[in-house]
Structure formats: C-alpha cells, structure tokens
Amino acid sequence: MTLLTSWPESGPETTVRRTTDPTEIRAALAPLGVRYERWPVRDDVPPGADPATVLAAYRTEVEKLNAEESFSTVDVVSLHPSDDPEWAAKAAGARQKFLSEHTHDDDDEVRFFVAGAGVFYLRVGGEVHAVYCERGDLLGVPRGTAHWFDMGTRPSFTAIRFFHEEDGWIGNFTGDQIATRFPDFDTLAADRAALG
C-alpha cells in the first residue's frame, strides 16, 4: 500500500496530509507535475529476476509509456539482501548516494517498482511530500524538482528506470541538509505497516 505523507518544509512536527488512497495520492501529486500510476503486478516475476525477464514481463506497459515520453534508455536496477560479506557496505553506499537533496536539470526521474519499496521525498511549494512507493507504483519526478530517495537500512527493491538522456542519472546536489530533518524510510515503513 502506497503512503503519501506531507509536512511543512520547516519540519515534520505537523502533518499536512497522510493518505494511502491511490486516487487521493494522484490528485495531491498531479498539481506538482508528479506522475503517479499503479501498474498491474506480475506475480511470476521474482524479486531477484534478471533485467531481461523484468523488461519482458512489463513490455506492454513500458512500450506504452515510452510511446508517450520517447525515452532513450530503459533499464532495471535491483538491490536485495545477500549473503555476500560485502553486501552491507555496498547497500549503505548506494543508500547514501541518494539521501541528499538534489535536482536533475535535463531529465525527469521516472521509476516503476517491480518489487520491494523505497521513498521519494519531494520539496515543492514549501512542503515536503514523502511518497512511500511499493510494488506496482510508477512515480515520475519532474526535472528541476528538489528531492531525495531513501531505500532504507536494508534495501530490497527492483525498479525499472526510464531516462530521456543517454547519460542516465545525473544529480545536482543542493547542499541543503533538509533530508536529515524528516522521517527516514524505516520509520515510514513502520508507519505504513501500522496502517494495515
């Protein structure tokens, strides 16, 4: 179940909005230029499936979105717990890269969650909007939007990434420490679980 929580950008002491209703989430994000959709979930795609299997399973949806947006690159990123002794360090490094607020000049950040979960935090119009995305969620953050992403202390997700630019992910970090003031992925995951 997707969870949208919004606070004033000054801090999370007051909650402006909290909803798990997909229609309300879409309505709240649309004026911000954020694309939110729910795609059908393919139960035959395991969390650790290889990229070719993932893209084949979602070919219809990917081709439809690509026809609308003309992406130059579509790929799959996956990070799941492993017995590899270096996994924890790799996961922590990957998480740290995206925890600082940044923007993208030349591309939207479009992700579809095939498995697992992650939280996109968007700072727009004096508010911070945390979108807890899970399997079946597509989120498109418009270029120029200040945001950050948290995958949690024990990341577990597979996502399809869409890029207009061949260079892929290029972040412009704002230097603002705003991300440190708001609840992290693990806190929001617990909140979401408590909601049922």
Side-chain angles (χ1 to χ4, degrees):
M1 156 177 52
T2 313
L3 172 64
L4 170 64
T5 309
S6 303
W7 307 276
E9 71 176 51
S10 57
E13 293 76 22
T14 304
T15 300
V16 175
R17 176 184 301 104
R18 188 172 186 197
T19 182
T20 58
D21 182 284
T23 303
E24 289 179 22
I25 292 170
R26 189 174 301 109
L29 296 177
L32 310 177
V34 176
R35 181 181 202 137
Y36 170 73
E37 297 176 6
R38 290 283 304 158
W39 285 6
V41 172
R42 307 281 190 263
D43 289 327
D44 58 339
V45 180
D50 65 89
T53 300
V54 170
L55 291 173
Y58 288 95
R59 177 173 294 132
T60 301
E61 291 83 1
V62 168
E63 287 178 353
K64 180 178 182 286
L65 184 59
N66 202 25
E68 295 172 19
E69 297 278 339
S70 300
F71 294 104
S72 64
T73 304
V74 178
D75 68 11
V76 176
V77 63
S78 187
L79 186 60
H80 295 279
S82 163
D83 292 335
D84 178 348
E86 297 179 19
W87 181 84
K90 289 177 186 176
R95 180 184 188 214
Q96 196 59 44
K97 177 180 180 180
F98 304 108
L99 275 178
S100 296
E101 184 185 60
H102 59 277
T103 62
H104 304 288
D105 289 340
D106 299 322
D107 214 343
D108 299 341
E109 188 158 343
V110 182
R111 303 291 182 266
F112 170 68
F113 285 82
V114 175
V119 179
F120 278 95
Y121 297 81
L122 319 169
R123 178 164 47 158
V124 183
E127 293 182 342
V128 169
H129 309 275
V131 188
Y132 179 98
C133 297
E134 64 175 9
R135 190 168 88 141
D137 286 334
L138 175 105
L139 194 74
V141 180
R143 70 191 72 201
T145 301
H147 66 285
W148 64 95
F149 177 74
D150 190 1
M151 57 185 81
T153 54
R154 194 157 168 77
S156 182
F157 70 91
T158 299
I160 300 175
R161 305 185 305 174
F162 299 83
F163 297 103
H164 291 104
E165 297 297 317
E166 297 265 341
D167 294 336
W169 194 94
I170 300 173
N172 303 309
F173 293 92
T174 66
D176 195 312
Q177 297 300 306
I178 187 168
T180 63
R181 298 197 309 261
F182 287 85
D184 64 7
F185 171 90
D186 296 320
T187 302
L188 291 176
D191 287 351
R192 179 211 165 265
L195 294 172

